[in-house]
């Protein structure tokens, strides 16, 4: 998942404030009314308050439909399909960088698997970037206190979209800043011809407290905009401290975006540990680095979103999207980001098939292409289907890993919260009954959200996600089978609820 730029940072912090507020209210109960009101009516009992929270409004789903949701939930918890599909995607196909042969193999595989279930499968074309990683090495060649004749290895990885250094590399002094303020405080010309490092630390405490995405957004701005800022100041290359919380000297890649008109300079992410070392040494005197990066940006490639429809019985033209992104970074296997999101969406179709359930509306599984490098697949979908937004009844995306879900984020009308309460009650049995309004649900469905389509995402435990995110350690073993199945239960139950309600969700 790649929220980029200031806008998402702002809107996310707003949503986080809203979440904090809602949680505080939930934990404290209803605030005590003023003394006058207390005389008029005694404060409600805990039971009354719980009833108000859980039972408000009438369910639009019949008891039989709620039973179907419970059955989908329980079957999802014990069905191996999602895990088996993830095993194949990550182990047999491997990483699925946009434009790569593996990405194409994944498209063909998911399409075949969905066809085998009897879904109506369409491959929808999208042109996507085709960037290829090359050599990526760095070593210090001079620093205060060095033993004569030695070098020190620096662990880094090129950022997606980065341009290359000459094949024999560059050698330049390193300038370290912690943030934009320190960069702006430097004298004019201070980074010209130098290697500029943004040493902005990932807030591990914030992540440990469950706000992983907020910690990520705080650092990802430097990855996205740092190389452009350095290029504008004449830097020879830009390094950023990895945006993630790992403690195992792992570099985290991710996309960088060069602004038009600014000289593109080579860009890489160093590990948090190496960033600390560079800051320590540069504080003592000049530090010189030899840096070699040889990535290539090839011509854009033709690729596809995989669309698999489980047709509706009454309103086949009305669709509910359940989705994840099929492309991944190349360092690991793309298991948590976002193989997991794809396979829980495939599981929704599989369970409908296995249990013989045919909702009123079409359930559309989408495996999006190229989320990591610019969401070109999702952009193309909005170009192709945006005019039909009215028939998009809802859109779900899972793209924050596979850890335990505690409920559902929803974007749209406030009335969605009360409307979904019976669904939350079904999911409460697996600890996933929280409903939280959020302006953002998923990068690939953000275009549909903007067009007024109600959108949704599982609320996932993000404490550990950013330890592995965009690293070589994003591998199959990081996915807990039980938690993966809980996520499959959430999206399957929600997709069914949206697709089979008598009237479409409020919008
Ligand atoms: Zn992702």
């Amino acid at each position: 998942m790649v929220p980029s730029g200031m806008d998402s940072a702002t809107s996310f912090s707003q949503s986080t404030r809203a979440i904090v507020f809602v949680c505080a209210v939930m934990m404290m109960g209803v605030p005590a009314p003023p003394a006058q009101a207390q005389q008029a009516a005694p404060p409600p009992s805990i039971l009354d308050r719980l009833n108000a929270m859980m039972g408000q409004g009438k369910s639009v789903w019949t008891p039989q439909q709620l039973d179907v949701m419970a059955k989908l939930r329980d079957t999802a918890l014990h069905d191996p399909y999602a895990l088996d599909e993830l095993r194949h995607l990550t182990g047999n196909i491997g990483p699925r960088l946009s434009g790569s042969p593996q990405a194409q193999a994944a498209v063909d595989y998911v399409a075949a698997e969905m066809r085998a279930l009897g879904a109506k499968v369409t491959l929808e074309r999208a042109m996507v970037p085709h960037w290829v990683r090359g050599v990526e090495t760095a070593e210090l060649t001079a620093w205060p206190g060095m033993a004569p004749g030695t070098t020190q290895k620096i662990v880094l990885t090129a950022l997606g979209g980065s341009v290359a250094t000459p094949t024999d590399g560059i050698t330049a002094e390193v300038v370290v800043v912690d943030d934009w303020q320190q960069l702006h405080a430097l004298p004019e010309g201070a980074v010209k011809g130098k290697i500029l490092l943004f040493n902005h630390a990932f807030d591990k405490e914030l992540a440990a407290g469950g706000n992983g995405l907020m910690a990520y957004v705080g650092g990802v701005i430097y990855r996205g905009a740092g190389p452009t800022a350095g290029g504008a100041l004449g830097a020879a290359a830009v390094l950023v401290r990895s945006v993630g919380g790992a403690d195992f000297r792992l570099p985290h890649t991710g996309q960088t975006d060069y602004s038009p008109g600014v000289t593109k300079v080579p860009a890489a992410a160093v590990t948090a540990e190496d960033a600390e070392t560079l800051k320590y040494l540069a504080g003592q005197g000049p530090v010189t680095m030899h840096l070699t990066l040889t990535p290539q940006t090839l011509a854009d490639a033709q690729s596809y979103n995989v669309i698999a429809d489980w047709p509706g019985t009454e309103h086949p033209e009305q669709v509910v999207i359940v989705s994840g992104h099929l492309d991944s970074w190349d360092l690991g296997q793309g298991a948590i980001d976002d193989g997991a999101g794809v396979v829980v969406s495939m599981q929704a179709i599989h369970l409908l098939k296995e249990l013989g359930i045919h909702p009123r509306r079409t359930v559309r599984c989408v495996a999006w292409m190229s989320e990591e490098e610019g969401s070109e697949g999702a952009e193309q979908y909005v170009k192709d289907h945006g005019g039909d937004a009215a028939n998009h009844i809802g859109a779900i995306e899972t793209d924050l890993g596979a850890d335990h879900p505690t409920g559902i984020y929803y974007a749209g009308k406030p009335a969605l919260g009360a409307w979904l309460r019976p669904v939350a009650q079904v999911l409460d049995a697996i600890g996933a009954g929280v409903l939280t309004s959020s302006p953002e649900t998923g990068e690939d469905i953000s275009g549909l959200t903007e067009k007024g389509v109600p959108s949704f995402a599982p609320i996932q435990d993000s404490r550990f996600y950013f330890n592995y995110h965009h690293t070589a350690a994003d591998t199959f073993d990081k996915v807990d089978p039980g938690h993966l199945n809980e996520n499959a239960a959430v999206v399957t139950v929600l997709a069914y609820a949206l697709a089979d309600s008598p009237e479409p969700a409020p919008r």
Side-chain angles (χ1 to χ4, degrees), residues 1-2 325 336-338 371-372 399-400 465 469-470:
M1 163 159 206
V2 189
H325 67 84
I336 61 170
D337 189 13
D338 183 28
E371 189 274 347
E372 297 292 2
D399 188 17
L400 199 62
Y465 179 66
H469 181 252
H470 295 187

Side-chain angles (χ1 to χ4, degrees), residues 159-347:
L159 295 181
S162 173
V163 296
T165 63
T167 48
D168 55 353
I170 58 169
T171 302
E173 191 179 327
V174 180
V175 176
V176 182
V177 297
D178 287 344
D179 50 34
W180 303 119
Q181 288 73 19
Q182 286 189 11
L183 179 66
H184 295 317
L186 291 175
E188 199 178 327
V191 302
K192 197 165 175 55
K194 310 275 176 66
I195 296 172
L196 172 63
L197 167 64
F198 287 98
N199 178 43
H200 181 87
F202 179 85
D203 192 333
K204 287 165 69 172
E205 295 298 325
L206 200 56
N211 295 301
L213 190 55
M214 205 169 158
Y216 178 70
V217 169
V220 81
I221 294 162
Y222 292 92
R223 190 189 77 206
T228 288
L233 294 170
V238 169
L239 306 177
V240 296
R241 178 172 172 145
S242 284
V243 190
D247 296 301
F248 302 102
R249 212 178 174 188
L250 280 172
H252 298 236
T253 191
Q255 188 71 6
T256 193
D257 299 303
Y258 298 110
S259 293
V262 170
T263 306
K264 295 180 179 181
V265 296
V270 298
T271 69
E273 293 89 334
D274 288 272
E276 290 289 345
T277 300
L278 286 165
K279 180 173 177 161
Y280 167 72
L281 293 175
Q284 298 175 356
V287 174
T288 303
M289 177 185 286
H290 181 237
L291 171 68
T292 307
L293 300 171
T294 64
Q296 286 177 276
T297 299
L298 308 177
D300 283 356
Q302 183 174 296
S303 189
Y304 305 91
N305 296 318
V306 184
I307 313 278
D309 283 352
W310 190 250
T313 51
E314 275 180 34
H315 295 290
E317 77 288 359
Q318 297 181 358
V319 301
V320 172
I321 288 176
V322 55
S323 67
H325 67 84
L326 192 52
D327 66 300
S328 78
W329 285 109
D330 53 329
L331 299 176
Q333 297 178 329
I336 61 170
D337 189 13
D338 183 28
V342 171
V343 300
V344 297
S345 304
M346 293 169 74
Q347 175 65 303

Side-chain angles (χ1 to χ4, degrees), residues 1 3 7-9 11-12 15 213 409 411 438-443 449 455 457:
M1 163 159 206
D7 289 348
S8 62
S11 57
F12 184 77
S15 72
L213 190 55
Y409 284 123
S438 167
E440 288 175 18
T441 45
E443 184 66 24
T449 307
S455 69

Side-chain angles (χ1 to χ4, degrees), residues 82-144:
L83 192 71
D84 290 346
E85 293 294 357
L86 187 66
R87 176 77 277 194
H88 185 90
L89 272 180
T90 56
N92 296 84
I93 295 177
R96 304 168 299 280
L97 198 62
S98 168
S100 68
Q102 293 102 318
Q104 184 58 46
V107 164
D108 295 337
Y109 178 75
V110 172
E113 288 295 281
M114 292 289 97
R115 276 192 201 105
L117 296 177
K120 182 169 164 264
V121 174
T122 318
L123 299 185
E124 295 197 349
R125 279 191 197 134
M127 294 304 286
V128 300
H130 191 189
W131 177 85
V132 181
R133 190 178 297 283
V135 172
E136 40 192 24
T137 60
E139 60 278 337
L140 301 186
T141 54
W143 66 94

Side-chain angles (χ1 to χ4, degrees), residues 475-497:
T475 46
F476 176 77
D477 53 286
K478 304 306 182 303
V479 173
D480 176 275
H483 290 157
L484 181 74
N485 285 350
E486 289 171 355
N487 283 292
V490 169
V491 300
T492 304
V493 166
L494 178 58
Y496 168 78

